[in-house]
Amino acid sequence: MDPLRSIAAWLVRRWLASLRWKSTRIDMTDPVIYCVWHRDVPAAGGYLRGRDVSSLVSQSSDGDFLVQILSGGRMEFARGSDSKGAIGGTRALLRRLQSGRSVATTWDGPKGPAGTPKPGPAWLSRMTGAPLVELRFEYGSHLVLRDWSGLRLPAPFSRIRVSEVRA
């Protein structure tokens, strides 16, 4: 493991741990499919890291780094995306939903276009009967990157309001 990546992952974990959450949660006893826009992946990872949820993460080097950052909590990972490992990732999510565990994925996939939902989350919902729950994030201080998704990075120690909305 690259020592610089390990240091970077540790720093990002500390940053995520500094965020303060105020959430409106849906009281669900059955498994759900949490969906976020790709721009909110950092906040969603920090929010869900300590929950019993399986997250779909791409098999890219960025995905490897994300798993390294979010490991150590209760979250587990299914690896795959629409461009690599799609069938394996989908099967893993199906198995986890059928075993009674909630899952998390993005609406707009790993490549976008931003704000345009891909069919995967709705298909998972139809196949398993698990409801879609959108996680909506409202940020205090944050940066917006100029990547395809408009990735939003909350300032350390900032407050984030999260609404869980049945889609």
Side-chain angles (χ1 to χ4, degrees):
M1 187 178 305
D2 179 5
L4 287 177
R5 274 186 94 111
S6 294
I7 292 168
W10 182 85
L11 288 170
V12 173
R13 276 194 298 275
R14 300 289 78 68
W15 162 62
L16 289 174
S18 80
L19 301 175
R20 295 172 292 157
W21 307 98
K22 181 166 176 108
S23 64
T24 306
R25 293 179 68 173
I26 293 178
D27 188 21
M28 301 288 291
T29 55
D30 293 325
V32 301
I33 302 165
Y34 292 108
C35 298
V36 301
W37 295 108
H38 199 273
R39 68 179 181 219
D40 294 316
V41 164
Y47 179 70
L48 293 173
R49 183 174 183 255
R51 292 173 73 179
D52 189 22
V53 63
S54 295
S55 181
L56 183 63
V57 179
S58 74
Q59 292 181 345
S60 66
S61 62
D62 286 348
D64 292 342
F65 187 55
L66 186 61
V67 167
Q68 187 177 1
I69 291 165
L70 298 176
S71 292
R74 293 176 62 203
M75 181 184 284
E76 292 182 356
F77 308 95
R79 301 300 300 270
S81 67
D82 60 355
S83 57
K84 184 177 179 185
I87 293 172
T90 302
R91 283 184 180 152
L93 292 183
L94 283 169
R95 281 192 304 273
R96 289 174 182 166
L97 284 164
Q98 291 164 345
S99 73
R101 185 182 181 102
S102 293
V103 301
T105 189
T106 57
W107 286 117
D108 48 0
K111 294 183 181 176
T116 302
K118 298 275 178 100
W123 182 86
L124 274 174
S125 180
R126 282 192 311 277
M127 292 297 108
T128 63
L132 296 170
V133 174
E134 182 175 356
L135 297 178
R136 296 180 183 167
F137 296 87
E138 296 175 42
Y139 298 86
S141 299
H142 66 284
L143 295 172
V144 178
L145 299 186
R146 292 185 179 180
D147 69 337
W148 70 266
S149 69
L151 194 70
R152 301 190 290 184
L153 301 174
F157 304 101
S158 63
R159 182 171 302 281
I160 301 174
R161 179 180 301 271
V162 185
S163 300
E164 296 183 10
V165 179
R166 193 166 176 154

